[in-house]
Structure formats: C-alpha cells, structure tokens
Amino acid sequence: MSGTVKLTYGGNEWEFPVLEGSEGEKGIDFGALRKKTGLVAHDPAYGNVGSCESAITFIDGEKGILRYRGYPIEQVAERARFTEVCYLLIYGERPTDDQLKKFRSGLTYHTLLHEDMKKFFEGYPANAHPMAIMASMFASLSTYYPDNDPALNDLNIIRVLAKSKTIAAFAHKKSIGQPFIYPMNDLSWPGNFLRMMFAVPSEPYEVPEVLEEALNLLLILHADHEQNCSTSTMRMVGSSEANLYASISAAICALWGPRHGGANQKVIEMLDQIKKSGMSMDAFLDKVKDRDSGVKLMGFGHRVYKNFDPRAKLLKAAADRIFDQLGVNDPLLDMAKQLEEHALQDEYFVSRKLYPNVDFYSGIIYRAMGIPTEMFTVMFVLGRLPGWIAHWREMRADPGYRIHRPRQIYTGENEREFVDMGRREL
Ligand code: ACO
C-alpha cells in the first residue's frame, strides 16, 4: 500500500488505499467503493481502470517501453525463440534446459488434431474467414478435452499451443482447396507451421530459414500486451470458470475486430485502395482528418502508447531486412513508409500522439512471406496465445478470484405500468 486518497461526497468523507506496482504505477483500490459510498466508478472503455494486478507484462506507453516478465522486448526479440517466450510468459521464468526440452517435446507430441475434426473443416464454405474457423475450432476442442480439472491445466496449455498452428494451417489449406499437410515433429514451432501452410503432398519442401526467422520474430512481438481487449476478454470469460478452450475462443473473437488485431488486414486493404485510386498521401490523410469521412489511418494510434510502439519500431527495421533477404520488392512497403512520414509531420497526428502500432508493418511482412491477407489476424492469434494463457492461468491461480461482473449507470425508463391490452397475438 502507498498512502490513501480521500473521497468526499454529500457531506461524507471516505479513505481508499492506494496500491503501488513494482514499477511505481499507482492506482486507487476501489474494491469497497460501492459498499462504503453507494457509488460506482464509471469508465465505459476502462481507460482508467486497473482490472487486475498482474506480474506478466509491463508497458510504459509514455516512454515506449514493453517488457515480458521484466525482460525488454528488444532483447527478447533479438535473442529468444518463440517456445521459450511461451514458457517465460506462462510460467514466469526462463526454463532450464530440461524444462525447455520437456516443454518442446510436449509441443511436438500434441500437434495432431483428432481425425474427426477434419470433418468440421469440410463443412465450412470455401470463403469462410479463417478467424471464424479458429474461434469455432477452439470451442470444438473442448468437446474432445472436456475435463476442466486444474490438475490438467498444464496439459491443456500444451495442447492449445501445439494444435493452434495445425488448426491455422488447415484453415488456410481449406480456403485454397489443397489437401491438409500433417505436422512434422522434428521441425521448430514456426518451421512446422510454415511447412503445413506452404508444402504440397507431391513436392519436397524445406522451410526457408528467412521465413522461419521472420515468423519467430513476429510471434514473439505479438506474444503479450497486458490488458487489451482480447486478453481482458480471456480473463472475463475465464472468471466464470469456463474452460481454457472456450476462453480462447472468446478471446479470438475479441481480437478479430479492426480496432484490435483485425487492423493488420485493414492496413493492407487501405494501402491497396490508396494505390488503386491513385490518391496522394496528403489527399488520403485529409480524408482521415475529415471526421465525416469515417476513414481512419489503420495501424495508427493506441490506447496506451503515446510516444511510439516499440514493436512497430522493431518491425519497421525487420521489414527492410526481410524484404532484402527474400528479394521481394513490394510497392506497399514504400507507400507505408511514406504514409508514416507524412502522418508524423502532420499536426493532426502529432497533437493526438498517434504513431504506428504493431499492425502497421506486420501485414506487409506477412504479405512478403506469402501469407494471404485473410490469415493475418490468425497469425496474431498464434503469437498472442501464450499471453492469453498466461493471464488466464495467473487469474485462476489467485485463490480469491471472483467472477468479473461490472456495474452500470442505468439511463432507461423509470418504472411504468405494463397496461393490460388483452392477448395481442399476431
Ligand atoms: N486515424 C485517425 N484518427 C485517429 C486514429 C486513427 N487511426 N486513432 C485515433 N484517432 C483520433 C480519434 O479520432 C480521436 O480524435 P479526437 O480527439 O479529435 O476525437 C483521438 O485520435 C484519440 O483517439 P481515441 O479514439 O480516443 O483512441 P482510443 O484509445 O479509444 O482508440 C485505437 C485506440 C482503437 C487503436 C484507435 O487509435 C484506432 O482505431 N486505430 C486504428 C485501428 C488500429 O490500428 N488498431 C490496432 C491497435 S493495436 C492492436 O490492437 C494490436
């Protein structure tokens, strides 16, 4: 505890404790607010609400800092493999060699889907959005693994991480009408996924190192981001004691929207549109600034980052490197850079502290890797799974966790009589 705040209202005064986090972040503990005062705190988009205490990820949006379990994202991105980051986020510390070996072998052993699940894929229309398939398939996994016993949490966590890439790759193969490629277990997590995405049965396929490295980086940069829309959904749904698979299915749906993870797909669609229309960058930005147009600069802006998003910085640098290594020349990359340059000199964006977020460059890199636009948000899911799981596990490990149940300020009609008008059947 770090002092108290006083609240006065209607001639009464109450004191509330101030909590302090390990990085000096402070918050008023309003747990007893309604009980003491009869008032509730009103903040519909949670911009000022600390919904939990968490030891997983630290963000300082003013300084552009992001750390996983205390480790700066820049170091993790440069030095780690995705599986180690999964372990770190979920279990709190870097694994020993033995722990990592066991974790990796679990991730390898559990990659297969029950053969019956293939029939589900057959039922979707060919143009089904893969995010819809992901959400349904995760909910469906709970029909195969229905046991919600906490003793099985570790096994279910492994199953989720191992099977997610198989589901994602199968969703893609379904959309292009190609046969499913089964996992090959001597490959790394990213390598295995890339093979299931791009191999065809009739031809040998060797995972290109540049793709594997690029994917490793992208997955790590998406792995956690504290209390965002999808992670808070994961905690919200998990607080009802819904099982891990159901909670993930809900988080996938929350991520899908264009204000959140769906923005990576929208960035490419926006750049494509600008290109096709032949519009200048400034003309497009004028449209964005015109409130009545309803057009936003996708991949820009963030609730927390008001300086820069360190993930976007890393991805911008990676984009040049990856494009060089792949020998790809995509005019959309130059357009994105120009758009960023113009926006960062524009008073509208400067005064609102709007900077590129993680979605601004990720889509361009995925595109260069040959991943289709509709799969971009699925790629975000694959990266974000360890973060969602870490938060779900952290919440459930707290013996005092309660079901999440906000209050509201009712603004509807006061009591009125439902006048008897006889039976009103149509
Ligand atoms: N383009 C144009 N104007 C913007 C943008 C944008 N991308 N983002 C914010 N603004 C403006 C708002 O209109 C508002 O202007 P005003 O003060 O004149 O009313 C001001 O900047 C503040 O924005 P808010 O909407 O209050 O910011 P909020 O924190 O609620 O929203 C969000 C954040 C949803 C990310 C928003 O910036 C956005 O829609 N960006 C585009 C979509 C996107 O890239 N989403 C991915 C986010 S990162 C992630 O989830 C992985």
Side-chain angles (χ1 to χ4, degrees), residues 259-260 291 296-297 299-301 303 348 352 357 359 380:
R259 287 183 176 186
H260 192 13
R291 277 180 173 277
K296 271 194 173 169
L297 180 50
F300 256 67
R303 174 63 60 80
Y348 175 94
R352 288 170 179 77
N357 57 51
D359 287 326
F380 198 149

